[in-house]
């Protein structure tokens, strides 16, 4: 992910395609997971003790669900965009990756859907005993 971000930021001074922002968003969602979820899992693996008790567990589950949902929606949108580019090359300018405003709204929707799904367990009272 860091290598992809380095190539996108240093390789191109100006982002020419709106789909670059989809790839950047995908990298950031994966980096959030690596830094916030994997660290806790590694601590638990090497020490045998889960750090922070239930609060850290809730945060870890939030970020796992957020990352999973965000990745799923972003990869699906990138796949559909590429499918349109291959199957309808002459009508491609009417679709997503040539319209920066549509990509911006898609990114807002992806992050909102991820946050919504990840926060669903916290909206209801915890009844586990």
């Amino acid at each position: 992910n860091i290598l992809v971000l380095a190539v996108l930021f240093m390789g191109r001074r100006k982002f020419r395609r709106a789909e670059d922002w989809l790839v950047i968003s995908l990298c950031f969602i994966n980096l959030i997971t690596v830094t916030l979820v994997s660290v806790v899992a590694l601590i638990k693996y090497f020490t045998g003790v889960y750090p922070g008790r239930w609060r850290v567990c809730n945060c870890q589950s939030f970020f796992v669900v957020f990352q999973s949902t965000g990745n799923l929606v972003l990869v699906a949108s990138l796949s559909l965009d590429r499918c349109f580019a291959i199957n309808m090359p002459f009508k491609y300018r009417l679709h997503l990756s040539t319209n920066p405003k549509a990509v911006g709204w898609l990114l807002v929707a992806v992050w909102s859907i991820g946050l919504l799904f990840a926060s669903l367990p916290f909206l209801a009272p915890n009844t586990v005993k």
Side-chain angles (χ1 to χ4, degrees):
N1 289 322
I2 294 172
L3 182 62
V4 169
L5 289 174
V7 166
L8 284 173
F9 281 113
M10 294 181 169
R12 302 177 192 173
R13 292 292 176 208
K14 181 181 176 184
F15 298 110
R16 293 187 184 106
R17 299 178 303 185
E19 73 180 16
D20 291 342
W21 292 105
L22 295 174
V23 174
I24 290 169
S25 183
L26 187 64
C27 289
F28 276 124
I29 287 177
N30 288 333
L31 284 174
I32 287 171
T33 302
V34 168
T35 57
L36 297 175
V37 175
S38 299
V39 172
V40 175
L42 287 173
I43 291 171
K44 166 69 172 105
Y45 180 76
F46 287 116
T47 64
V49 178
Y50 198 81
R53 299 193 182 139
W54 62 273
R55 288 192 173 117
V56 174
C57 181
N58 284 343
C59 290
Q60 187 178 17
S61 65
F62 174 84
F63 284 114
V64 166
V65 173
F66 173 68
Q67 181 265 346
S68 300
T69 308
N71 272 343
L72 179 71
V73 175
L74 275 172
V75 168
S77 62
L78 280 167
S79 299
L80 283 173
D81 182 58
R82 295 292 88 204
C83 181
F84 288 142
I86 292 169
N87 290 328
M88 296 181 273
F90 298 114
K91 296 181 181 180
Y92 180 65
R93 294 198 179 267
L94 303 173
H95 297 289
L96 179 68
S97 67
T98 56
N99 186 354
K101 197 176 227 182
V103 171
W105 281 110
L106 177 68
L107 290 177
V108 168
V110 166
W111 286 81
S112 300
I113 289 169
L115 289 172
L116 174 73
F117 275 96
S119 62
L120 282 177
F122 303 110
L123 297 177
N126 188 0
T127 57
V128 177
K129 295 180 183 178

